[in-house]
Amino acid sequence: MSTRRDFMGMALGGFTAVGAVGGFYAAKRTWDPLPSVKAAGSTIVDLSQAKEGEPMTEKWRGKPIFVLRKSADMPAHERDVVVKGVRYHVSIALCTHLGCIPAYKKASKTFFCACHGGVFDTSGINLPGLPPPSPLEIPPFAIEGNTLVLGSEGPEYLALKKNNLVV
Amino acid sequence: MAKIDKKAFPFSKQWLDDRLALTTVMKVLNTEYWIPKNINFLWAMGMVLAATFGVLVISGIFLLMYYVPTVEGAFDSVNYTIMTEVGYGWLWRHIHGIGASLVFLIIYIHLFTGIYYGSYKRGREMIWISGMLLFVLFSAEAFSGYMLPWGQMSYWAGMVITNLFSGGSLEAYSFVEWIRGDYVPAQAFLGRFFMLHVFLLPLIIIATIVFHFATLRLPHVNNQEGKEVDFDESARLWKEGTVESRKKSEVIPFSPVFLSKDIFVMGVYFILFFYLVFYNFDFAMDPVNFDPADGLKTPAHIYPEWYFLWSYEILRPFSKDVGLIAFAVAQVALFALPFIDRSPNVAPASKRGLFKYWFWTLLVIMIALTALGKLPPTDPVFAAMGLVFAVAFLLMGPALYIITKFEKKIEEGA
């Protein structure tokens, strides 16, 4: 049975629901990363600074980035970034388990994560049987001369991405 | 309008009763809220928790006056301004730190008391569930508070815990970034956790404490034997007021009789509390967190405060996805306790056959997980032990179901 009271109830409920949805949307947007945060997303890495066999740590979007100029005894890998004939391992230096920063161990030539004991080789590949489920992630990059522009997707990055090698 | 005594003197008892039913309220909440006599000091933990929460709120108010919720200012506002400049600022900080640690110690005692005496069954399910809800809320409150000094442990705990929300292989990193408001924990992250810690979570906690009290009012607190007390008859005997009838009554009023016992236990507790505040405050102050947050340097070994170690250790020994699932199960498993326990008996564990062993095994497992969670992940022997105890913890649920399914009913008066 439809009465005026039912109508008033439904009208009130309808307006309240619309208001609630709007309110929740505004709350969600307030919680979103700010445009200024998203805009500050590009870092230029000068590769001439990289020493052979020793990773350097850059900062991109607040995250540390490993850039390792591979020495001759480090095995080549299809994930390597090749610039002017030199092989580099470039990755986001956060363990793919829970995001701690692995430390480079010179003796064993591995990246070791102290949080839960994950280990990655010089190509960023996770060693089996340990917590990390995947290799260190390769950030989007573009090669410009002897520099890397982190945050933009160059053809070399897209090629890696196409072959599912970036994560 | 109700009957109002127009001659009553303003703010006299009669005047207030006409307007607020004050006498009735006092009866319902205090003088005629009946507590069984057959209890021990473990029944005081609820009020000890309420008092500790009060101390946390008061010390928090004073810290809030000088704390600066910015990534540039937070560390110094705590470690320099509050600790060295503000008169007695150190006192509030140490009270707040020790209080946060001890509140969990008492929560665990309170929780294991409930499990031991079967106080989560036969009409008391909502007490248990609202209590577990408080445990989760206090955990969130402790975690958000731990972010605020913006030291190395704050930052990296924030990094690791928010990464849990990527859901392992689901790789929901945009969700993680949404929680943080940035790619990494930064200003947006500190600002929102500050808001959660000082306003929203305390507000919800206070509401939930009121609800937790409300869930107790009808089923009443349990007693040492799990006996079904005839509250009406015992209340009548108490109210008769003679020495003889009060002796025969099985209950005492919450206030002033039970509360006076509570306050004695609180007195003992606060001696320990202030001993720690004045002489042993280091135990709640991790040295790593006295280094300012640095997003480019992970501390050698990240571990949570002691009260989260057991669940951290459940996460650690497995591969990422399995670890996350085990962790999630461990967080919610205890909520289901009243429904996993199939036994009709409300009795202390010592009288419940195999359940006795189940209870002590659970306690040992949680203590072992806590101890192992603090150790670095590198030792293979400890890592293997962690795996064994984590699996054992997960098996305790099904074990409880089977054990209690076959538990013999204890006859009344046996």
Side-chain angles (χ1 to χ4, degrees):
Chain A
M1 196 181 81
S2 179
T3 64
R4 275 169 58 152
R5 184 164 295 183
D6 289 341
F7 173 76
M8 295 297 276
M10 283 186 284
L12 177 65
F15 275 103
T16 310
V18 170
V21 169
F24 276 117
Y25 179 71
K28 189 262 172 199
R29 291 280 286 109
T30 301
W31 205 272
D32 274 347
L34 301 177
S36 58
V37 167
K38 291 192 129 173
S42 196
T43 301
I44 294 172
V45 183
D46 180 3
L47 292 175
S48 64
Q49 303 290 314
K51 281 189 217 138
E52 196 177 78
E54 242 179 86
M56 59 178 187
T57 308
E58 298 290 329
K59 195 172 175 183
W60 171 70
R61 291 185 180 174
K63 291 174 188 171
I65 304 290
F66 284 139
V67 179
L68 170 65
R69 181 174 170 173
K70 286 193 168 180
S71 54
D73 57 342
M74 292 174 183
H77 194 276
E78 49 191 338
R79 302 175 91 232
D80 292 348
V81 178
V82 186
V83 183
K84 300 191 184 237
V86 183
R87 294 188 160 272
Y88 296 91
H89 165 65
V90 180
S91 62
I92 298 176
L94 297 176
C95 179
T96 49
H97 182 223
L98 287 172
C100 299
I101 301 180
Y104 185 67
K105 301 283 170 195
K106 230 173 171 176
S108 55
K109 295 200 177 62
T110 52
F111 296 99
F112 171 73
C113 179
C115 287
H116 304 101
V119 182
F120 303 86
D121 67 15
T122 51
S123 302
I125 304 296
N126 52 311
L127 301 194
L130 297 167
S134 55
L136 292 173
E137 195 183 337
I138 298 177
F141 65 88
I143 299 169
E144 280 179 20
N146 203 24
T147 65
L148 281 183
V149 181
L150 300 177
S152 60
E153 303 189 346
E156 294 83 0
Y157 174 78
L158 291 172
L160 287 176
K161 196 175 179 182
K162 206 176 140 203
N163 295 323
N164 283 326
L165 290 169
V166 292
V167 277
Chain B
M1 199 144 107
K3 252 204 302 194
I4 297 278
D5 180 356
K6 294 190 182 76
K7 287 192 208 101
F9 195 73
F11 302 105
S12 66
K13 191 168 175 291
Q14 181 65 49
W15 192 88
L16 286 171
D17 268 347
D18 285 346
R19 285 155 182 80
L20 299 171
L22 211 61
T23 306
T24 313
V25 171
M26 285 301 283
K27 273 187 186 169
V28 169
L29 297 181
N30 287 306
T31 54
E32 291 184 17
Y33 169 28
W34 305 107
I35 307 289
K37 282 179 181 172
N38 181 19
I39 56 175
N40 59 42
F41 78 99
L42 290 167
W43 268 254
M45 293 307 146
M47 290 313 288
V48 168
L49 279 172
T52 311
F53 180 68
V55 168
L56 281 165
V57 170
I58 291 165
S59 54
I61 286 170
F62 288 101
L63 293 171
L64 187 51
M65 293 197 293
Y66 288 97
Y67 176 73
V68 179
T70 65
V71 290
E72 297 85 18
F75 186 84
D76 283 346
S77 75
V78 174
N79 290 302
Y80 177 71
T81 312
I82 289 171
M83 288 304 286
T84 66
E85 277 204 293
V86 177
Y88 286 85
W90 56 269
L91 178 67
W92 306 122
R93 191 194 185 188
H94 290 160
I95 288 177
H96 210 66
I98 295 292
S101 208
L102 286 192
V103 92
F104 277 94
L105 177 69
I106 307 298
I107 284 175
Y108 283 127
I109 295 174
H110 197 52
L111 185 149
F112 275 103
T113 304
I115 298 177
Y116 186 87
Y117 290 102
S119 309
Y120 49 87
K121 300 200 279 187
R122 204 165 63 196
R124 298 197 178 91
E125 292 87 350
M126 287 307 290
I127 305 175
W128 178 262
I129 290 167
S130 59
M132 280 305 298
L133 206 57
L134 277 169
F135 176 69
V136 171
L137 287 166
F138 268 92
S139 300
E141 179 69 1
F143 173 73
S144 58
Y146 201 72
M147 297 299 104
L148 301 188
W150 209 238
Q152 272 290 67
M153 266 317 188
S154 305
Y155 183 92
W156 288 100
M159 180 73 103
V160 170
I161 298 299
T162 46
N163 264 338
L164 292 177
F165 291 91
S166 67
S169 294
L170 298 177
E171 307 209 337
Y173 291 111
S174 56
F175 181 56
V176 173
E177 281 159 18
W178 181 75
I179 292 173
R180 292 176 186 157
D182 203 329
Y183 302 105
V184 289
Q187 183 57 52
F189 175 88
L190 182 60
R192 61 191 55 177
F193 276 85
F194 172 67
M195 175 281 287
L196 289 174
H197 184 73
V198 304
F199 182 71
L200 188 56
L201 287 171
L203 197 68
I204 298 173
I205 285 175
I206 290 167
T208 311
I209 290 174
V210 171
F211 180 61
H212 192 53
F213 285 167
T215 59
L216 271 163
R217 191 59 184 79
L218 293 183
H220 288 87
V221 295
N222 194 10
N223 55 74
Q224 278 193 100
E225 305 300 328
K227 191 175 173 213
E228 275 194 69
V229 175
D230 183 344
F231 282 93
D232 292 334
E233 173 59 11
S234 278
R236 191 188 64 74
L237 284 168
W238 181 271
K239 284 198 281 189
E240 232 176 75
T242 65
V243 174
E244 198 58 24
S245 70
R246 288 199 168 179
K247 210 176 219 171
K248 256 167 73 186
S249 170
E250 288 183 284
V251 299
I252 49 174
F254 175 79
S255 174
V257 185
F258 174 67
L259 209 51
S260 63
K261 291 167 190 283
D262 263 357
I263 287 168
F264 172 74
V265 178
M266 266 185 233
V268 175
Y269 163 76
F270 275 113
I271 291 173
L272 167 74
F273 187 98
F274 283 103
Y275 163 72
L276 291 171
V277 166
F278 290 117
Y279 299 106
N280 235 321
F281 48 84
D282 277 353
F283 120 93
M285 301 273 149
D286 196 289
V288 180
N289 220 24
F290 285 89
D291 289 327
D294 182 353
L296 296 185
K297 200 173 126 231
T298 318
H301 174 206
I302 295 180
Y303 45 81
E305 287 291 285
W306 70 267
Y307 38 86
F308 292 144
L309 285 170
W310 69 271
S311 53
Y312 182 67
E313 186 59 20
I314 288 171
L315 175 74
R316 210 159 61 155
F318 300 104
S319 69
K320 188 167 172 174
D321 284 345
V322 179
L324 269 178
I325 292 166
F327 182 74
V329 169
Q331 301 316 302
V332 298
L334 283 170
F335 272 94
L337 197 63
F339 309 101
I340 301 173
D341 186 337
R342 306 308 298 169
S343 151
N345 299 321
V346 175
S350 60
K351 291 191 179 166
R352 288 182 56 191
L354 282 176
F355 180 82
K356 176 170 86 179
Y357 301 101
W358 182 88
F359 173 84
W360 292 110
T361 309
L362 180 69
L363 194 63
V364 167
I365 289 174
M366 302 242 325
I367 291 171
L369 285 171
T370 300
L372 289 163
K374 183 84 186 189
L375 298 167
T378 36
D379 190 305
V381 177
F382 291 133
M385 282 170 74
L387 181 65
V388 168
F389 280 106
V391 171
F393 178 86
L394 295 172
L395 290 176
M396 288 303 272
L400 177 66
Y401 184 87
I402 294 162
I403 285 171
T404 51
K405 191 101 184 153
F406 294 103
E407 190 175 307
K408 279 203 197 86
K409 186 161 167 46
I410 301 171
E411 294 304 327
E412 206 54 51

